[in-house]
Amino acid sequence: MSVAISGSNPAYSLQSVLSAQIALLTETEQATSGSRITSAAVDPSGLAIYNNLETQSQGADTAGQNISQASDAVNVAQGATSTIQTALSQINNLAIEANNGFNSASDNAALQAQATQLAQGINQIASETSFNGTALINGANAGNTPPTAATAATTNNDVTNAGSGVVTGVSASAATTSGTFSVAVDATGNADVTYTDNATQVTTAAGSFAAGSSTTFNGTTINFGNFAASDAGASATVQTTAANAGSTQPAVSVQSGANAGQTTTVSFANATTTGLGISNIDLSNPASATNAEGQIGNAITNLNAGQAQLGAETNSLAGQFNNNIDSNNLASAASSIGGTNEAQTATSSAQSTLQQQISIAVLARANTDAGHLNSFLSVFA
């Protein structure tokens, strides 16, 4: 510790006392407040840097709160889609039960009523699921989804006596509509084809076709295998899905960083019956029930994709939250600039106290010496 000892000059000693008192006041304020920069006069440039770092740190903390809220919203949506997944499985079971030629009309009507009730429940869940007033799974915040091409898939294909399938291949085109083709070999050895449209639930006879031939109906081409009259009763089912133009719905955006432009978007799939493609399930007869199974299968696929998207968004948000170390780093940097070094401040305070005491003592001695000199000189006046 280095302490300057003032000379006997009273003016110098007084200045030393004042300087020590000012230093003590500053050091006391630093020690009690925990801040080294108690005013702009202490460190002008340091104060500017400190304030900027503090603002950045607080902004990062607030962004972390945004990420947490977004994660909560995604969790709410995941819970709702899980409930809808259960309802879809129940509707699928009803469609399988309706695909039974031994059912009476009243049996299928009862199954239809249950399916309709479940579909209404799905729409209610989709419309009422929200987070702080923001709709989640009704399609309002589905975000941009890319267009998809039309598809055609053979979901059932019996093997004929010749060793091939009733259907050997299918292909979709831009003109393909959504529906179900039912192919059955009749007693004459031809394949009778019907098509049930998803939109209208109307079943149309597409024609009767010979083995090895092909046909194109509503944009879908079907190639037939080798079969004969001995294969009567063999069947195949082809499920088709029309092309989808995609959507340009908005997504929910949250600021996930301290700086402008550091945002994250969260989107939620449309889980209504319209969005899932099951708004007109028909279980009135086996053909319609078969078509309904195809619709429900596509709906489950779409919902699974939506749930996978929510899962990916949950992981992304969690990663951003866990890796958002900007706040800690910024706070640490600000503290190193603006925070009080307690040990150093204590040492400086002790030094200033000693300096003050010495300066006061010197000043008192100087005043005393001056008083004796004046008394001595007065004798000779």
Side-chain angles (χ1 to χ4, degrees):
M1 179 185 298
S2 176
V3 178
I5 301 177
S6 59
S8 58
N9 187 329
Y12 179 83
S13 297
L14 180 60
Q15 179 63 39
S16 180
V17 170
L18 292 174
S19 297
Q21 286 178 333
I22 293 172
L24 272 174
L25 287 173
T26 300
E27 289 153 2
T28 300
E29 188 175 0
Q30 289 174 334
T32 55
S33 68
S35 175
R36 181 182 69 84
I37 308 176
T38 55
S39 69
V42 175
D43 186 354
S45 61
L47 179 62
I49 296 173
Y50 172 79
N51 287 338
N52 183 57
L53 290 173
E54 275 288 288
T55 300
Q56 289 286 304
S57 175
Q58 292 171 8
D61 286 339
T62 303
Q65 294 175 10
N66 287 348
I67 294 173
S68 180
Q69 285 191 355
S71 296
D72 291 341
V74 171
N75 288 337
V76 170
Q78 286 179 319
T81 55
S82 294
T83 302
I84 291 175
Q85 178 77 47
T86 300
L88 286 177
S89 296
Q90 292 174 341
I91 296 175
N92 187 62
N93 291 337
L94 294 173
I96 294 173
E97 191 174 351
N99 197 352
N100 183 349
F102 292 104
N103 287 349
S104 65
S106 60
D107 291 335
N108 282 354
L111 296 172
Q112 179 68 59
Q114 294 180 57
T116 300
Q117 189 67 35
L118 287 167
Q120 291 174 350
I122 289 174
N123 282 333
Q124 184 174 3
I125 293 171
S127 64
E128 294 180 355
T129 301
S130 64
F131 186 84
N132 198 29
T134 299
L136 298 182
I137 57 173
N138 68 350
N141 292 294
N144 292 329
T145 57
T148 57
T151 61
T154 305
T155 57
N156 168 67
N157 197 9
D158 291 343
V159 177
T160 65
N161 292 325
S164 71
V166 174
V167 170
T168 57
V170 294
S171 60
S173 69
T176 293
T177 57
S178 296
T180 303
F181 287 95
S182 295
V183 182
V185 178
D186 61 24
T188 66
N190 289 327
D192 297 328
V193 180
T194 60
Y195 174 76
T196 303
D197 189 274
N198 279 3
T200 63
Q201 294 300 325
V202 173
T203 299
T204 304
S208 184
F209 305 93
S213 65
S214 65
T215 184
T216 299
F217 188 85
N218 281 0
T220 300
T221 298
I222 302 176
N223 299 315
F224 301 103
N226 293 321
F227 42 76
S230 59
D231 295 305
S235 65
T237 304
V238 177
Q239 188 70 39
T240 61
T241 305
N244 190 321
S247 69
T248 55
Q249 294 294 327
V252 181
S253 176
V254 297
Q255 184 163 338
S256 54
N259 301 315
Q262 293 180 326
T263 59
T264 298
T265 57
V266 183
S267 58
F268 304 89
N270 186 345
T272 64
T273 56
T274 299
L276 296 175
I278 56 167
S279 58
N280 56 350
I281 291 293
D282 181 9
L283 304 183
S284 60
N285 57 72
S288 294
T290 299
N291 184 52
E293 290 179 56
Q295 289 178 269
I296 298 164
N298 286 336
I300 291 174
T301 299
N302 293 337
L303 188 64
N304 286 340
Q307 289 177 313
Q309 175 184 317
L310 291 174
E313 289 174 345
T314 296
N315 292 335
S316 175
L317 290 167
Q320 290 183 57
F321 188 84
N322 293 333
N323 293 328
N324 188 12
I325 59 175
D326 285 350
S327 175
N328 293 334
N329 290 340
L330 291 168
S332 177
S335 177
S336 67
I337 294 174
T340 299
N341 185 321
E342 296 295 342
Q344 182 179 358
T345 300
T347 301
S348 298
S349 180
Q351 180 177 346
S352 297
T353 300
L354 183 57
Q355 180 72 61
Q356 182 187 46
Q357 292 172 347
I358 292 173
S359 297
I360 290 174
V362 171
L363 182 60
R365 180 59 182 268
N367 289 337
T368 300
D369 291 344
H372 284 303
L373 179 60
N374 289 335
S375 298
F376 176 77
L377 292 176
S378 67
V379 175
F380 302 96

